[in-house]
Amino acid sequence: MSTLWRVADVVSGVPETETSRTIGLRVDGLNGNLAGQHIDIRLTAEDGYTAVRSYSVASAGMDEILEITVDELANGEVSPYLVRELAVGDQLEIRGPVGGWFVWRPSDTNPVQLIAGGSGIVPLMSMIRAHEASQNPSQFRLLYSLKSPEAGFYRGELRTLGQESPKLTVDYVYTRTVPLGWPRAPQRLTAETLLASILPADAAPDIFICGQTIFVETVAEWLVQAGYPASIKTERFGGTGGTR
């Protein structure tokens, strides 16, 4: 885990949706990351102005490559560049991976409930990948709340894992449009739908929630009211650095 700024080489860039992109970075001397950690990225303009933003790591491995998935913000200073302009062969300044609380380790044996809103899936996908690559047999369940099927990240991978992995169950809630043949109309996530789509409280799962602040706070409150144990960890969207 490093708190120093280092140079990362951009080795890949793959679109996830119309406004998001998964970026592969190679960092000399990197020894992987814990599932759920994040990195800081610093961009410096010609006049010396800098902007720093935090991005969750989507990959899980013990080598010099890591991946982030960036969702473009309409008025953002950093994300439009990363999504639209950054090219393979470019370099970025990064710090990290950092974070030791919102993480999952293969030595953790409890069942795990993951709850994502939109691009909040990114650090949870790192946990899913780490779990699938491990010998850990504990049950993982993901509830993914999306505006539409097209807004989902990692769609093919999650579809395959949801169908074939004995260790992962994937559930979806669509708030605006649903897939063809979906059995329910679009709906916002409610406490009733939440509790019907996650591991029961008596299973005492470790719970990780990531998404926009209002989503995270609302879901966490519903869980507490429903008697879930205190092992609820949350991560909200946000970053560091100023605006011009």
Side-chain angles (χ1 to χ4, degrees):
M1 182 183 301
S2 175
T3 58
L4 301 176
W5 289 101
R6 295 188 282 180
V7 174
D9 297 307
V10 179
V11 295
S12 62
V14 179
E16 291 290 342
T17 68
E18 291 184 354
T19 60
S20 65
R21 184 187 192 200
T22 292
I23 300 166
L25 302 171
R26 184 179 62 80
V27 185
D28 288 340
L30 182 70
N31 190 27
N33 62 279
L34 297 177
Q37 287 186 309
H38 65 275
I39 62 171
D40 296 328
I41 291 179
R42 179 169 66 186
L43 299 185
T44 303
E46 292 183 359
D47 63 2
Y49 171 76
T50 61
V52 178
R53 297 292 183 269
S54 295
Y55 293 99
S56 296
V57 178
S59 54
M62 299 305 293
D63 54 27
E64 295 184 331
I65 303 294
L66 57 78
E67 291 182 343
I68 59 172
T69 301
V70 180
D71 198 20
E72 182 180 11
L73 301 178
N75 298 316
E77 290 184 310
V78 175
S79 61
Y81 170 76
L82 297 179
V83 173
R84 304 292 178 184
E85 300 181 40
L86 187 71
V88 171
D90 288 348
Q91 293 183 322
L92 291 172
E93 284 187 289
I94 77 159
R95 181 172 59 191
V98 295
W101 184 72
F102 193 82
V103 298
W104 179 83
R105 296 174 173 85
S107 58
D108 297 338
T109 58
N110 287 344
V112 173
Q113 178 64 57
L114 308 172
I115 304 172
S119 59
I121 186 64
V122 178
L124 307 187
M125 194 68 200
S126 177
M127 297 179 190
I128 289 170
R129 288 166 169 166
H131 181 237
E132 288 295 321
S134 75
Q135 299 300 312
N136 188 315
S138 62
Q139 183 62 34
F140 265 44
R141 188 165 182 176
L142 168 67
L143 177 60
Y144 194 3
S145 177
L146 291 165
K147 293 178 181 178
S148 67
E150 295 74 26
F153 292 2
Y154 322 119
R155 283 174 283 175
E157 185 175 358
L158 283 175
R159 183 183 308 112
T160 298
L161 287 173
Q163 293 171 349
E164 299 180 1
S165 173
K167 302 195 295 184
L168 176 68
T169 302
V170 182
D171 302 279
Y172 293 93
V173 172
Y174 297 102
T175 62
R176 294 188 183 176
T177 60
V178 299
L180 184 66
W182 194 251
R184 294 178 296 278
Q187 60 173 348
R188 288 194 174 277
L189 184 64
T190 64
E192 181 180 12
T193 301
L194 171 74
L195 297 176
S197 306
I198 62 174
L199 296 171
D202 58 13
D206 291 335
I207 300 173
F208 296 88
I209 312 169
C210 187
Q212 292 183 338
T213 298
I214 185 63
F215 175 88
V216 170
E217 292 181 349
T218 300
V219 169
E221 183 178 352
W222 286 339
L223 292 172
V224 171
Q225 291 175 349
Y228 276 78
S231 55
I232 299 173
K233 297 182 179 181
T234 62
E235 182 95 342
R236 298 163 174 79
F237 294 164
T240 58
T243 55
R244 219 170 199 162

